[in-house]
Amino acid sequence: MMRKLQIPHDYKSTMTLKETQKAIKLIKDNFQLNLSEALNLDRVTAPIIVYSDRGINDDLNGVERKVDFSVKELNEQKCEVVQSLAKWKRMALHRYSYEPGSGIYTDMNALRRDDDMDNLHSIFVDQWDWEKIITREERNIEYLKETVKKIASSVALTCNKVRLLYPQIKTKISHKVFFITTQELLDMYPDLTAKERENKIVKEHKTVFLMQIGSKLKNGEKHDGRAPDYDDWSLNGDLLYWDEVLQCAIEISSMGIRVDAKALDEQLKIYGSEDRKKYKYHSMILNDELPLTIGGGIGQSRLCMLILGKAHIGEVQVSVWSDEMIEECAKNGIVLL
């Protein structure tokens, strides 16, 4: 456990606990307003629980165990705590009769019991999940890039607002985004690991959108895993920022243009998950019954941590940590909420 904890040299938060809580609200209020205006999104309510047998929960990398339980009033039917809302959102857009150019966002709270617990990871996940309907003509890399630029601008505007009210915050975030594919990054740094490659490119460019995650690269490895049934692996990516406190890249958003019938069929075959075609969500995509969409998740605590210059995600969210981690953090000026 403790080998994963990073203690920045001479770290000291520039904010009291009360100031931190107020600043968290400021960031969340401003960012979701900026995001909804930039992408034309309406706020909606969303589930924290879904049925286990509907295929609607996010499988993430396909190995994470879901938090599940039986429900007395449903004859002990199994339900699960969501891991994200990637599939639910697309179904909701169809059900709510949204049109191309408009979409939804929501506060998504999830439990991921198998996630790491360190400076950047918690088993409690809070993010803005968003989804927007697009046309067939917009299913391309340029539309993806334009959407990423709008999100990055929303992040930069929010950071500027916080700096005005809290001048002790020194974080600077640019509107400019550097775009690169996972294969291009591997070609640049063939002797580095995937995480080392990310740190190298993000340290240089500060804000990076790393594209095309999920497929195998020329070295036979994946840069990172992706479920086969929401992002089109050729039209997705991660929005990464350089964290000056931790001196590493920090992922703020994973997003992409979603699978159409062709991409879903191909990716299910590659993943060995063609049995998922029996689920309603998957069959509706294969039969062209669901709208074409773009969407993603944007980490709320990660964004607060980045902007406020915090060393640990536990400084901006309340979760569970080992006694050993709490003690070690406290000894080094990192006060967990």
Side-chain angles (χ1 to χ4, degrees):
M1 174 68 70
M2 295 309 298
R3 67 184 175 82
K4 297 179 181 178
L5 181 64
Q6 183 179 345
I7 304 295
H9 182 63
D10 291 335
Y11 173 76
K12 181 175 175 56
S13 175
T14 60
M15 313 183 83
T16 65
L17 290 177
K18 186 176 181 180
E19 286 175 328
T20 296
Q21 292 284 17
K22 288 185 174 182
I24 290 170
K25 183 178 186 300
L26 176 66
I27 291 170
K28 293 186 176 184
D29 288 349
N30 275 267
F31 179 77
Q32 65 184 356
L33 179 62
N34 293 335
L35 179 72
S36 62
E37 290 181 349
L39 298 184
N40 191 27
L41 307 175
D42 296 329
R43 191 190 184 283
V44 300
T45 58
I48 191 170
I49 305 165
V50 294
Y51 290 108
S52 297
D53 60 357
R54 305 291 171 87
I56 202 69
N57 206 352
D58 188 349
D59 293 297
L60 303 177
N61 290 313
V63 297
E64 293 86 353
R65 296 174 300 159
K66 302 176 180 71
V67 176
D68 60 2
F69 54 93
S70 60
V71 181
K72 183 183 71 173
E73 288 292 324
L74 297 175
N75 295 319
E76 302 298 335
Q77 183 164 353
K78 282 289 187 73
C79 292
E80 300 170 348
V81 177
V82 298
Q83 297 199 118
S84 88
L85 298 171
K87 300 170 189 173
W88 179 88
K89 293 176 295 180
R90 192 168 178 180
M91 296 284 282
L93 286 172
H94 171 69
R95 184 181 176 198
Y96 301 158
S97 301
Y98 272 78
E99 297 293 332
S102 61
I104 58 176
Y105 79 95
T106 189
D107 288 303
M108 193 285 297
N109 293 321
L111 294 178
R112 298 180 182 173
R113 62 195 289 188
D114 290 329
D115 268 17
D116 296 330
M117 297 172 69
D118 56 27
N119 299 71
L120 295 174
H121 298 89
S122 166
I123 64 167
F124 169 60
V125 179
D126 56 341
Q127 64 186 37
W128 291 282
D129 251 323
W130 65 275
E131 199 84 8
K132 180 178 179 179
I133 296 182
I134 61 176
T135 64
R136 172 65 62 180
E137 292 70 32
E138 290 170 330
R139 288 194 84 257
N140 58 65
I141 201 75
E142 290 308 316
Y143 187 86
L144 175 64
K145 288 182 177 180
E146 288 305 312
T147 302
V148 171
K149 290 175 184 177
K150 290 177 181 179
I151 295 172
S153 288
S154 297
V155 172
L157 288 170
T158 301
C159 184
N160 291 340
K161 177 73 172 181
V162 174
R163 282 166 54 88
L164 282 175
L165 296 179
Y166 296 94
Q168 70 267 41
I169 299 300
K170 303 304 180 184
T171 306
K172 293 182 180 180
I173 296 177
S174 171
H175 291 254
K176 186 177 179 181
V177 184
F178 180 78
F179 294 90
I180 189 170
T181 68
T182 52
Q183 185 59 57
E184 289 170 339
L185 187 59
L186 174 61
D187 293 341
M188 289 176 65
Y189 307 112
D191 298 326
L192 300 183
T193 66
K195 184 54 65 177
E196 288 170 343
R197 295 195 293 271
E198 286 186 5
N199 285 332
K200 191 84 170 176
I201 199 69
V202 179
K203 184 174 184 180
E204 179 180 355
H205 295 281
K206 307 306 179 186
T207 304
V208 173
F209 189 66
L210 182 59
M211 299 181 290
Q212 299 177 1
I213 300 174
S215 297
K216 288 186 178 180
L217 304 175
K218 291 179 181 177
N219 65 356
E221 301 174 357
K222 296 179 181 179
H223 181 85
D224 198 2
R226 283 296 184 274
D229 47 11
Y230 54 97
D231 282 351
D232 183 326
W233 295 339
S234 66
L235 293 168
N236 70 350
D238 288 346
L239 183 57
L240 307 169
Y241 287 86
W242 184 250
D243 188 303
E244 290 292 346
V245 175
L246 295 178
Q247 287 292 294
C248 69
I250 178 171
E251 177 197 321
I252 294 297
S253 177
S254 175
M255 59 171 287
I257 291 175
R258 306 309 198 187
V259 289
D260 59 5
K262 181 175 181 291
L264 177 60
D265 186 57
E266 291 175 351
Q267 292 179 186
L268 286 177
K269 287 178 182 175
I270 293 171
Y271 217 75
S273 299
E274 291 181 272
D275 60 311
R276 298 188 192 183
K277 293 179 181 181
K278 66 186 177 186
Y279 295 124
K280 182 178 180 181
Y281 164 82
H282 300 78
S283 64
M284 289 182 75
I285 293 176
L286 293 169
N287 293 325
D288 293 323
E289 295 172 349
L290 285 183
L292 300 173
T293 62
I294 183 173
I298 300 166
Q300 295 186 12
S301 291
R302 286 269 185 99
L303 182 62
C304 293
M305 180 183 171
L306 175 69
I307 292 177
L308 299 181
K310 299 291 189 177
H312 195 289
I313 197 167
E315 294 179 274
V316 293
Q317 66 156 239
V318 180
S319 186
V320 292
W321 312 99
S322 70
D323 291 340
E324 187 182 9
M325 180 174 287
I326 294 170
E327 274 182 40
E328 190 67 21
C329 284
K331 283 194 301 186
N332 289 278
I334 300 172
V335 181
L336 305 183
L337 296 181

